[in-house]
Amino acid sequence: MSNVTSQDVSLRSLLTLNNNDFKEFICGWSAGVINVSITFPINKIIFRQILEDVPAKTAFQQISREGVRLLYRGILPPLCQKTFSVSVMFSTYEGCKERLCTLTNNGVLIRVLAAHFAGTAEAILVPLERVQTLLQDWRYHDKFKNTSHAFKYLLKNYGVSECYRGLVPIICRNSCSNLIFFILKEQSGKLMDEQESVLTSFINGALIGGFTSTIFYPMNVIKTHMQSKIGGDFEKFMTVAHEIYIARNRSIMSFYKGVHLNCMRSFISWGVITASYDFLKKIMFS
């Protein structure tokens, strides 16, 4: 009887949120706010390159002609999405890893499962990423006034499922990039030991983030093309990838249009996120 009680207590401890989960969430959320405020204009230029298949200079000129009033159009979804995404990513990964350690000693399996759970949990926020895509697409400038208007339109005319268009590439992107990011971050942390400063933390996060975002950049291209459409059948991942490949002269490199700016943005973005997160974590867990 006591053995059953012990198992029940162990199961409850795995499923119950604790104070460390809350602290991880706050650290991640704060780092996300700082990041979005700095990198949104760069992200908008990259988006225009992905959607229009134009050089960075042309995308910059287009956005410049639209004026400052429209520069931060669509910032609310990424502000909500990215801040919560980063907080969920860190808190879910660390929380899952801590709990899975009580079930198995297989370090690789623990990290793979934790990364997948974190990536899937982040996917709950897909509707915000979906609306951000529509608000940044010039073809919908006159159709949608703001974030709430876009949400109301999608829900009223197409239902909740339309808000989750592009879910598959997002889960794949999140899970794979999380796994590589955390493994490299943990390994570099071991090499630096306790001597890591804000600057080294920034450089460490910038290099890892830039590397992972570059590898999985084609996922964003496919996701953007999926989410730029409203209504109709939900296209399969490989179908959209093949359509883009054919439309862009059967060139694999065309999937990397805008990758240079994306790498620069990710370098800055993940540098800021990692430095902010590590700094806040030292304060909150001290």
Side-chain angles (χ1 to χ4, degrees), residues 79-256:
L79 189 62
C80 296
Q81 185 268 334
K82 191 63 178 179
T83 53
F84 281 99
S85 176
V86 172
S87 57
V88 168
M89 182 187 88
F90 280 107
S91 60
T92 303
Y93 179 83
E94 295 295 341
C96 286
K97 193 175 72 168
E98 179 183 338
R99 290 164 172 81
L100 289 169
C101 283
T102 64
L103 302 176
T104 177
N105 293 322
N106 190 325
V108 175
L109 179 61
I110 288 173
R111 285 162 176 77
V112 169
L113 290 176
H116 178 67
F117 289 146
T120 303
E122 288 180 74
I124 295 172
L125 302 169
V126 166
L128 292 170
E129 200 166 341
R130 166 76 165 126
V131 170
Q132 179 191 356
T133 299
L134 296 177
L135 290 176
Q136 289 187 121
D137 190 338
W138 64 270
R139 293 172 296 184
Y140 300 114
H141 279 180
D142 296 329
K143 191 176 185 68
F144 302 120
K145 297 177 182 178
N146 49 42
T147 300
S148 61
H149 182 227
F151 268 125
K152 288 177 182 177
Y153 178 87
L154 293 178
L155 292 172
K156 180 180 178 181
N157 294 282
Y158 301 98
V160 176
S161 60
E162 184 67 28
C163 295
Y164 282 88
R165 189 180 287 269
L167 179 63
V168 172
I170 288 174
I171 290 179
C172 293
R173 178 199 66 189
N174 290 353
S175 299
C176 295
S177 60
N178 283 353
L179 179 61
I180 294 178
F181 177 83
F182 281 113
I183 286 178
L184 293 179
K185 187 175 185 295
E186 288 170 13
Q187 293 303 313
S188 63
K190 290 178 182 178
L191 293 175
M192 294 179 181
D193 198 23
E194 298 298 326
Q195 301 176 359
E196 189 172 14
S197 64
V198 173
L199 179 59
T200 55
S201 181
F202 175 88
I203 296 173
N204 183 33
L207 292 174
I208 296 173
F211 174 69
T212 55
S213 67
T214 299
I215 291 177
F216 299 108
Y217 184 77
M219 295 286 188
N220 280 334
V221 175
I222 296 169
K223 180 269 300 183
T224 297
H225 279 266
M226 282 183 169
Q227 293 187 336
S228 64
K229 299 176 183 178
I230 300 178
D233 295 335
F234 278 61
E235 299 170 302
K236 294 182 179 180
F237 177 85
M238 291 306 298
T239 300
V240 176
H242 184 257
E243 288 177 354
I244 297 172
Y245 176 71
I246 297 299
R248 297 189 177 183
N249 299 318
R250 301 177 182 272
S251 172
I252 295 295
M253 293 307 298
S254 67
F255 281 88
Y256 287 88

